[in-house]
Amino acid sequence: MDKQKIYPRSQDRETVYLKNVITDPGIIVGDYTMYNDFVNNPVDFQKNNVLYHYSINHDRLIIGKFCSIACGARFLFNSANHSMTSLATYPFPIFFEEWGLDVSHITEAWDNKGDIVIGNDVWIGYEAVIFAGVTIGDGAIIGARAVVAKDVPPYSIVGGVPAKPIRKRFSDETISALLTARWWDWPEEKIADHLAAIRSGRVEQFK
């Protein structure tokens, strides 16, 4: 397996290994995480899909290994927010020249809710939107066009606007075993040796 390549499939230019097309130091992506885009060039993910992400905030998008991100999924960062503590929703600090404000206070125009953190082996569906400050646990599934404003537990399925829990993917015992095994951190050879067990859904075969 060549995790350094951009296109994991020789005849497919709509799917990329995301880590290998990212240049923004505020976006951290794990090995083998893939993004598919049949509308825009998937290489432009950080421009088209990571929105309102400005270095002045020092916020980060952190995505784990082996995630699957569908076309049009978007990550909406803190500068998209307007301050809720101000008496006005208008972002006066952005227009500091107009209003004689100090440029150093520009981040007061919005509420900073922190990083977006996506676990490992997460599937994010078509045109889903993930808000700043959200953490999505390992193995979770985000439904198509879901709007995710709250944390998602590991191995949960959520969907809707706003996104709400639908069900757990597995029993609590299986989820615990998967979170303990952390197969995504195994050496490639071990993952390859256990693909049958992973694909069968039988965690007991890991042992």
Side-chain angles (χ1 to χ4, degrees):
M1 290 75 72
D2 182 3
K3 61 188 176 185
Q4 304 304 322
K5 67 176 70 171
I6 290 178
Y7 302 102
R9 301 196 296 180
S10 61
Q11 304 301 314
D12 177 6
R13 289 298 180 267
E14 294 180 352
T15 304
V16 296
Y17 280 149
L18 196 52
K19 178 180 180 180
N20 301 329
V21 302
I22 295 298
T23 59
D24 184 341
I27 303 175
I28 302 164
V29 182
D31 293 337
Y32 296 109
T33 284
M34 65 91 168
Y35 173 61
N36 172 269
D37 199 321
F38 51 82
V39 177
N40 299 303
N41 187 342
V43 171
D44 294 330
F45 174 87
Q46 71 184 32
K47 178 180 74 173
N48 295 331
N49 303 75
V50 185
L51 307 181
Y52 299 96
H53 187 233
Y54 305 129
S55 59
I56 193 171
N57 284 323
H58 306 292
D59 45 13
R60 300 173 299 165
L61 171 59
I62 303 171
I63 304 175
K65 303 174 184 177
F66 293 96
C67 292
S68 304
I69 304 175
C71 180
R74 287 179 171 82
F75 302 85
L76 210 60
F77 270 88
N78 290 289
S79 296
N81 298 321
H82 290 222
S83 175
M84 298 291 286
T85 58
S86 172
L87 297 181
T89 62
Y90 191 80
F92 286 103
I94 292 176
F95 304 104
F96 56 91
E97 294 168 308
E98 288 286 297
W99 297 96
L101 301 174
D102 190 328
V103 66
S104 66
H105 295 279
I106 194 169
T107 58
E108 295 175 6
W110 50 79
D111 294 331
N112 194 325
K113 298 183 179 181
D115 299 337
I116 297 175
V117 180
I118 312 298
N120 304 279
D121 190 30
V122 172
W123 173 19
I124 299 176
Y126 175 71
E127 292 189 341
V129 176
I130 316 297
F131 283 0
V134 165
T135 294
I136 297 176
D138 297 324
I141 296 175
I142 310 302
R145 292 182 170 163
V147 175
V148 185
K150 295 182 178 179
D151 291 352
V152 178
Y155 290 96
S156 295
I157 302 172
V158 302
V161 181
K164 296 180 180 179
I166 296 173
R167 64 179 175 86
K168 294 180 180 179
R169 290 182 58 196
F170 305 113
S171 69
D172 289 343
E173 181 181 8
T174 296
I175 291 172
S176 178
L178 285 165
L179 294 174
T180 299
R182 296 185 61 83
W183 64 262
W184 44 84
D185 287 335
W186 293 352
E188 292 176 2
E189 295 78 10
K190 184 174 180 180
I191 294 174
D193 289 342
H194 288 77
L195 276 182
I198 293 171
R199 295 178 63 235
S200 72
R202 302 187 64 180
V203 70
E204 66 272 13
Q205 294 183 9
F206 282 1
K207 302 174 182 179

